[in-house]
Amino acid sequence: MAGIKNIRDLYKKVGEKGLREVLEGEIRVTEKFDAYRFAFEKNPHDYKIYFYGKNGKAPLSKIDRTVNDLYEQAISYIENLPADIKKAIPPRHRFGFSWFPNNKPLNTEYDRRPKNGLILTDITVRNRQWDVTNEVKDNKIFERWCGIFGVEANTPVFEGRLD
């Protein structure tokens, strides 16, 4: 169920009966990192890569990037990927990350900074209206893209059915 970040939100949205139905099916639990949200996707019209911050609704503009350089290191890393990798990125696939400019991005200090400061947390496919139509959950696909991008994956803590 895309867009639900925690059980409380899910409960508010679907109620007790709906929550029970969701928990009776296959579930995937991942860690939510205390880090910044960063994402990018390739536009199908001009094939340029657009970058997104926390809100994820509108791409970061030159003004956003000038006023706040929080994402510049991550943006530079993605922009400097080899041309064949950037060409292979499918349009309308948004790659979401937890961004660690250092090992204490917000309130939690981690033992180490992830590879290139990025942990791939989600991959979504979008339609022409930019609505999410599919949320990729296959660990092999995550591992493949992490290898391509040179970043780490948010490996699920639990996948399957609860007893």
Side-chain angles (χ1 to χ4, degrees), residues 18 25 48 51-52 55 90 100 115 117 124 127 153:
K48 290 183 182 176
F51 300 97
Y52 298 83
N55 78 8
F100 292 75
K115 186 176 182 182
T124 55
N127 62 18

Side-chain angles (χ1 to χ4, degrees), residues 66-77:
T66 302
V67 171
N68 184 354
D69 67 350
L70 172 65
Y71 300 106
E72 283 309 302
Q73 190 180 358
I75 289 170
S76 177
Y77 177 75

Side-chain angles (χ1 to χ4, degrees), residues 60-155:
L60 295 170
S61 68
K62 288 187 187 255
I63 295 170
D64 294 330
R65 292 174 61 180
T66 302
V67 171
N68 184 354
D69 67 350
L70 172 65
Y71 300 106
E72 283 309 302
Q73 190 180 358
I75 289 170
S76 177
Y77 177 75
I78 299 300
E79 287 179 333
N80 289 312
L81 288 171
D84 60 325
I85 290 175
K86 291 190 286 189
K87 186 176 181 181
I89 296 169
R92 289 197 180 97
H93 284 61
R94 186 170 297 184
F95 294 88
F97 300 86
S98 286
W99 165 234
F100 292 75
N102 53 49
N103 68 333
K104 187 180 178 188
L106 294 171
N107 299 311
T108 304
E109 185 168 352
Y110 294 89
D111 291 338
R112 64 178 185 83
R113 183 173 178 249
K115 186 176 182 182
N116 294 307
L118 294 166
I119 295 179
L120 181 62
T121 58
D122 55 278
I123 304 171
T124 55
V125 182
R126 294 162 185 269
N127 62 18
R128 292 179 186 264
Q129 292 75 35
W130 305 107
D131 297 321
V132 174
T133 59
N134 187 25
E135 190 172 355
V136 177
K137 295 182 177 162
D138 185 330
N139 289 331
K140 289 180 183 174
I141 294 173
F142 267 76
E143 289 171 14
R144 181 175 152 259
W145 281 109
C146 285
I148 290 168
F149 294 145
V151 301
E152 294 184 27
N154 188 8
T155 308

